[in-house]
Amino acid sequence: MTMTNAEPEPQENGEEELNKAIEELKDVLHEETLGTGGEAGSFASNPELVMSIPVEVQIVLGSAEMPVSQLMALKKGSTVSLNRRVGEPVEIVVNGRRIARGEITLVEDDPSRFGVKLTEIAGRASAQ
């Protein structure tokens, strides 16, 4: 899967960049829907049907590999080192498929919650 780098823009354009990324994701979903064959007509006539389908979105911070013996030795307070470093992008996965990368941020409205700012979107060629 090829990822394209989003060009850095000033902070003011962050919302515009996010809206552009959302539109690109909609285009990718639309292309996949039309590529499914005979059902395309029913989806095209009722886009709300497709847009209301729930999807599972995961933000992957990293992973670790260890032998079962080490896994069984874990206890409360143990630390598991991940394969990513602080500041590296996290992966955004939808229904098991990586569609973007981003950086962890605090939600403006609620600083006690984390969010993800999209920094890279999967290219259209990789979505097919």
Side-chain angles (χ1 to χ4, degrees), residues 48-85:
E48 293 82 26
L49 178 66
V50 174
M51 293 305 202
S52 65
I53 296 172
V55 294
E56 181 178 334
V57 178
Q58 298 175 326
I59 307 305
V60 182
L61 295 174
S63 62
E65 190 172 312
M66 65 181 70
V68 173
S69 60
Q70 190 177 354
L71 178 66
M72 297 301 291
L74 293 176
K75 58 186 176 205
K76 185 175 182 176
S78 295
T79 300
V80 176
S81 294
L82 301 177
N83 63 343
R84 300 254 171 93
R85 297 192 184 282

Side-chain angles (χ1 to χ4, degrees), residues 26-44 50 97 127-128:
K26 285 181 182 178
D27 289 344
V28 169
L29 290 173
H30 180 69
E31 287 174 1
E32 287 184 356
T33 301
L34 293 178
T36 60
E39 298 141 4
S42 63
F43 287 142
V50 174
R97 183 177 188 181
Q128 296 176 1

